[in-house]
Amino acid sequence: MYLSFIVMIVLGAIVIGRAFYIQTVEGKFWSRMGDSLHLKYMPLEAERGTIYSEDGNMLSTSIPIFDVYVDFGADGLREKGGKRFKENVDSLSIYLARLFKDKTSAAYKKEMQLAYKNEDRYYTLKKKISFVEYAQLREFPLVKQGRNKSGFIIDPRDKRINPYVLLANRTIGLSRDNATRNVGIEQSYDSVLRGTSGQRLMRYIAGAYMPVEGAELEPENGKDVITTLDTYMQDVAENALMKMLVGNNSLHGTAIVMETATGKIKAIANLGQLKNADGTVQKDQAGNSIYAEDLNYGIGKATEPGSIFKLATLLSLLEDKYVTKNSLIDCEGGVKQFYGLKIHDTHPNHVLTVKDAFAASSNVAFAKMADQYYHAQPSKFIEHLHHLRLDTITGIDITAASGRPLIKKPANRSWANTTIPFMAHGYEELVTPLHMLMLYNAVANNGKMMKPYLVNSFREYGADIKTIHPQVVVEKICSDETLAQLKECLQAVVDSVHGTGHKILFDSAYAIAGKTGTAVTALNNKGYNKGNKIYQASFIGYFPANQPKYTVAVVIQNSNESKLVYGADVSGTVFKEISDRIYGRFLGSKKFITTSVDTTKYNYYGMKNEWGSIFNTLKLPYKDSAGGGYWRSTTMQNNAAVLKTTAYTTTGTAIIPAVIGMGLKDAVYLMENKGLKVMATGRGRVLNQSLPPGAAFKKGTTITLFLN
């Protein structure tokens, strides 16, 4: 007993001594430790900067969203036995149910009463509400009494949106919570856009961290980024490309517009077929493939370029003085064997000048010339390609990991006797469309190769704080003599009757110079046999040819179901639409008057009473041959208007109306009155609609209208 008593006294003394030591000697340390467990600073994100187009439109911006929490342990909410909460919970529940429409007022009341009973200190009421919803919430019963009395805590943060949705989406990029997964400009200029985070003191109470009011270190907001993109040009490029891809059932394509003198990228459209989880192509209700900006094909996808590469071969031959544009070359009927492999021309040719061989895009002619002059000295040809930066990354200010070029060297294991002949007309090398665009732009720019770039400046509070200037990467790609011959050959592609671009591009109000290309590629890497062989169609050129302002590259990968496959028919058509619209908007000064007297091909659509008002004002005779209904199409015949009933416009019927030719206001009015949800892209009148007229539909179906 004595021994036990002594042990207890000793243990008690140790406990008291230890407590005294902790309280006096280590007291400050443990006090700080206790505070650190209950208080800590958490990052307060800065407002991310906005990305603008050169013409001042928002391309990517942040909008505020709000998370709503309630501190049911707040003193003001629980005083007087919770009188304030009990008096307002019914009306607050009704208002919340009306605003969010996700629960009944009874469900909201039950949840809040349970949270009040449990004294939840950081109860999540609603997340990601909009500013409009937040503004209404602030006026609700109880909430409007303020944070201390209501317990309501509003936590604001930003949500990133692209107001133009599809427009240059892949180039502008995506901003994610994890910045390492960003793409495009959002990735490359993340350090500029994101700003500097602040800090907010948070207190740990009842299992959750709550902000300490007034204990914040404000963040420094991000800078705005002003791009080189022009929204009109981007819209034109995207619509022209989309129209060809949908109409020709192509796999994917890109269209890039570069300002010749500076290297600014004014537009870059990248569209590819969307795939389902099982790898099949997504289709709309009309059976057309659905396209979106899934990959930056213009910058990030290196392919065998085909005949557009002949410009590099021609430059090498001219610069080395082996040929001139007037030298004669025998194309041997369009078929020739090179070391056991045949090279073919699309059309049989015999003796042509170098200029005509370039205009007619003779594969045999360029393979023969390259083999004759560079077979024994391949490094000389490769040096020219290096000087033209075709083996070097472009340096554009967004990353594209797969966009590295591949130009074979004689030391490569895959080098063979056939390499030079095939490289000469665009095979056995990999380059991106942007690489080829830089070369063509250098020719248009009198031999000066510009670095392509996408950002003009950084801006803070409306003032530029840094400006990015054009940069020359090659001062002179060739001699003036060679340059003059190159320009003449490029213009012959369009102007010459036998030029591959003549049929599509010659009939213009301005001069165009460029080159077509049609490269044979393997579908899904299954080989080049007939069943898997598909074609990549290209056209790169500049306009106006005598004083170039813009250089445009269009490269489209066709499918084995595409009706059109050749460079001029596919990419040349897209180029023509883009150049026509840019020229008409920015460069054209002449007023063109149509000489046609037959105006029946011009059809316009709208409401009957509006047509009557227009024709009466113009004192133009018109005849309404339709009778009932509100909607009319009109044609001109013998200087008089004829109004007719349009198809599928009867109100209330569950079939898709025909709105092609209408203005957007009328088209949206008609579609929405029938119960359709409308999305629109482009400007002007409706050029196409994603769902065919006359088809049945369910209420709430989304239809996309393409305007041009």
Side-chain angles (χ1 to χ4, degrees):
M1 287 177 62
Y2 284 123
L3 181 62
S4 299
F5 185 66
I6 291 168
V7 169
M8 291 175 64
I9 291 173
V10 171
L11 287 174
I14 292 171
V15 170
I16 293 170
R18 182 62 179 164
F20 179 77
Y21 179 80
I22 290 171
Q23 192 77 7
T24 57
V25 179
E26 295 181 345
K28 291 182 179 179
F29 170 79
W30 291 113
S31 294
R32 288 196 299 269
M33 180 68 77
D35 288 341
S36 70
L37 292 174
H38 292 85
L39 292 171
K40 76 172 183 177
Y41 279 99
M42 290 185 174
L44 191 60
E45 294 301 322
E47 183 179 326
R48 194 170 178 85
T50 296
I51 299 175
Y52 289 94
S53 66
E54 193 172 49
D55 52 332
N57 291 310
M58 284 184 184
L59 300 178
S60 181
T61 192
S62 298
I63 59 170
I65 58 172
F66 304 87
D67 296 337
V68 183
Y69 303 94
V70 186
D71 177 11
F72 284 105
D75 293 338
L77 195 62
R78 304 193 74 86
E79 65 184 9
K80 297 181 181 179
K83 179 182 177 183
R84 184 175 286 109
F85 173 75
K86 293 171 184 176
E87 287 178 348
N88 288 281
V89 67
D90 287 317
S91 55
L92 177 60
S93 299
I94 293 170
Y95 276 89
L96 290 173
R98 286 178 183 173
L99 177 61
F100 298 124
K101 297 181 176 63
D102 58 341
K103 300 173 188 174
T104 63
S105 58
Y108 269 113
K109 180 179 178 181
K110 184 178 179 181
E111 285 185 17
M112 288 192 289
Q113 285 178 329
L114 180 61
Y116 180 84
K117 180 181 178 182
N118 295 334
E119 294 189 42
D120 288 343
R121 301 306 304 264
Y122 208 52
Y123 174 75
T124 303
L125 183 70
K126 196 74 178 172
K127 285 199 169 190
K128 297 181 180 180
I129 70 171
S130 68
F131 178 78
V132 174
E133 291 171 325
Y134 162 67
Q136 294 180 55
L137 179 68
R138 288 177 58 182
E139 302 304 317
F140 283 2
L142 188 63
V143 184
K144 63 184 178 182
Q145 296 187 38
R147 175 173 170 172
N148 292 329
K149 292 181 179 179
S150 69
F152 270 72
I153 302 166
I154 309 297
D155 190 10
R157 54 196 177 94
D158 289 334
K159 177 185 177 183
R160 201 69 172 169
I161 63 164
N162 291 15
Y164 286 90
V165 191
L166 184 66
L167 209 69
N169 181 261
R170 197 70 190 182
T171 301
I172 296 161
L174 307 169
S175 176
R176 304 180 175 99
D177 292 336
N178 182 357
T180 61
R181 295 177 58 239
N182 290 355
V183 298
I185 292 172
E186 292 277 15
Q187 179 200 47
S188 298
Y189 293 95
D190 179 66
S191 60
V192 177
L193 289 162
R194 73 167 178 257
T196 305
S197 298
Q199 288 185 323
R200 177 168 56 183
L201 188 63
M202 304 287 283
R203 185 186 301 277
Y204 190 79
I205 300 175
Y209 278 101
M210 295 178 58
V212 177
E213 194 170 6
E216 294 179 353
L217 179 63
E218 289 297 323
E220 182 182 334
N221 291 337
K223 314 295 187 294
D224 295 333
V225 170
I226 314 302
T227 70
T228 62
L229 298 173
D230 179 276
T231 47
Y232 177 80
M233 294 188 194
Q234 182 68 38
D235 188 43
V236 164
E238 213 139 273
N239 277 288
L241 183 63
M242 178 73 82
K243 186 165 63 173
M244 178 55 71
L245 294 178
V246 172
N248 203 39
N249 198 20
S250 301
L251 297 178
H252 56 76
T254 184
I256 313 173
V257 181
M258 178 183 280
E259 190 174 76
T260 304
T262 62
K264 288 182 181 181
I265 303 297
K266 305 300 294 179
I268 177 168
N270 296 282
L271 298 172
Q273 288 179 337
L274 286 182
K275 301 290 182 67
N276 295 308
D278 60 359
T280 58
V281 177
Q282 292 185 24
K283 304 277 187 178
D284 61 21
Q285 291 187 9
N288 296 318
S289 299
I290 298 175
Y291 294 87
E293 291 234 351
D294 59 335
L295 180 71
N296 203 321
Y297 297 101
I299 295 171
K301 190 169 181 64
T303 61
E304 291 179 301
S307 292
I308 54 174
F309 198 81
K310 288 172 184 168
L311 181 65
T313 306
L314 180 60
L315 183 148
S316 304
L317 292 163
L318 293 173
E319 190 71 356
D320 288 335
K321 309 294 184 186
Y322 292 136
V323 299
T324 68
K325 63 182 175 62
N326 296 317
S327 299
L328 296 176
I329 181 75
D330 186 0
C331 301
E332 302 187 23
V335 181
K336 182 174 172 58
Q337 278 209 357
F338 292 85
Y339 311 101
L341 291 179
K342 280 185 180 179
I343 290 178
H344 298 262
D345 286 343
T346 305
H347 303 289
N349 294 300
H350 295 282
V351 178
L352 297 173
T353 64
V354 168
K355 174 182 171 182
D356 289 338
F358 185 81
S361 200
S362 171
N363 297 331
V364 171
F366 277 81
K368 276 186 70 173
M369 289 187 290
D371 187 58
Q372 178 182 349
Y373 297 112
Y374 296 120
H375 179 78
Q377 47 177 357
S379 295
K380 194 168 186 179
F381 181 55
I382 301 303
E383 284 171 12
H384 282 293
L385 303 185
H386 175 70
H387 180 63
L388 299 175
R389 296 180 66 86
L390 293 173
D391 62 351
T392 310
I393 58 173
T394 61
I396 193 167
D397 38 358
I398 60 174
T399 57
S402 62
R404 292 186 174 275
L406 175 61
I407 300 294
K408 282 187 180 181
K409 306 292 193 300
N412 291 136
R413 293 177 62 186
S414 59
W415 187 275
N417 286 332
T418 55
T419 299
I420 285 290
F422 274 85
M423 286 183 72
H425 69 287
Y427 294 92
E428 295 204 35
E429 66 253 324
L430 299 174
V431 290
T432 68
L434 185 60
H435 279 93
M436 298 308 302
L437 179 62
M438 288 174 66
L439 172 58
Y440 280 74
N441 192 75
V443 174
N445 197 30
N446 294 318
K448 188 178 290 186
M449 183 176 283
M450 306 302 297
K451 178 182 177 181
Y453 67 106
L454 281 158
V455 171
N456 273 324
S457 62
F458 306 144
R459 190 171 290 173
E460 186 175 32
Y461 302 116
D464 288 349
I465 58 174
K466 181 180 179 181
T467 302
I468 298 169
H469 300 286
Q471 184 179 337
V472 179
V473 291
V474 180
E475 192 64 41
K476 198 76 170 174
I477 62 169
C478 61
S479 66
D480 289 337
E481 181 184 359
T482 297
L483 194 64
Q485 294 183 81
L486 290 175
K487 288 183 175 181
E488 195 172 330
C489 291
L490 285 167
Q491 199 151 353
V493 172
V494 176
D495 292 348
S496 171
V497 175
H498 302 294
T500 53
H502 181 81
K503 176 184 170 184
I504 300 295
L505 297 154
F506 180 67
D507 185 20
S508 299
Y510 51 94
I512 295 172
K515 181 74 184 74
T516 60
T518 308
V520 180
T521 59
L523 179 62
N524 299 327
N525 297 319
K526 294 178 181 176
Y528 291 86
N529 62 60
K530 191 173 182 179
N532 295 313
K533 187 169 64 175
I534 56 174
Y535 294 89
Q536 177 176 284
S538 309
F539 187 87
I540 305 182
Y542 51 85
F543 66 96
N546 53 343
Q547 288 184 314
K549 298 296 183 184
Y550 299 102
T551 311
V552 180
V554 181
V555 179
I556 294 174
Q557 185 78 62
N558 297 306
S559 70
N560 51 12
E561 298 175 5
S562 298
K563 294 178 181 178
L564 304 174
V565 296
Y566 293 115
D569 296 332
V570 180
S571 295
T573 301
V574 176
F575 178 99
K576 181 73 161 56
E577 183 170 339
I578 293 171
S579 62
D580 278 352
R581 293 188 174 276
I582 291 176
Y583 184 86
R585 175 73 174 259
F586 298 103
L587 305 176
S589 57
K590 296 179 181 178
K591 301 297 181 185
F592 298 99
I593 301 172
T594 180
T595 57
S596 171
V597 293
D598 179 13
T599 57
T600 57
K601 63 181 178 179
Y602 298 107
N603 291 282
Y604 298 94
Y605 301 83
M607 297 193 76
K608 177 179 71 172
N609 59 341
E610 292 180 353
W611 280 121
S613 175
I614 290 169
F615 292 134
N616 287 331
T617 301
L618 295 173
K619 297 186 169 74
L620 195 66
Y622 71 96
K623 178 182 178 183
D624 185 359
S625 61
Y630 298 104
W631 300 93
R632 297 290 187 270
S633 67
T634 181
T635 58
M636 296 298 297
Q637 291 177 334
N638 301 321
N639 293 320
V642 178
L643 301 181
K644 300 176 182 177
T645 305
T646 61
Y648 315 123
T649 53
T650 308
T651 305
T653 56
I655 56 173
I656 305 291
V659 297
I660 294 173
M662 285 188 180
L664 183 60
K665 180 187 75 171
D666 287 341
V668 170
Y669 177 84
L670 182 57
M671 291 287 190
E672 290 189 344
N673 272 338
K674 282 184 171 273
L676 288 156
K677 291 184 178 179
V678 181
M679 292 181 64
T681 177
R683 300 176 184 175
R685 294 187 177 273
V686 178
L687 182 72
N688 204 352
Q689 55 189 81
S690 62
L691 303 179
F697 71 94
K698 292 182 179 179
K699 211 165 189 179
T701 299
T702 299
I703 185 169
T704 302
L705 304 180
F706 302 96
L707 283 69
N708 211 337

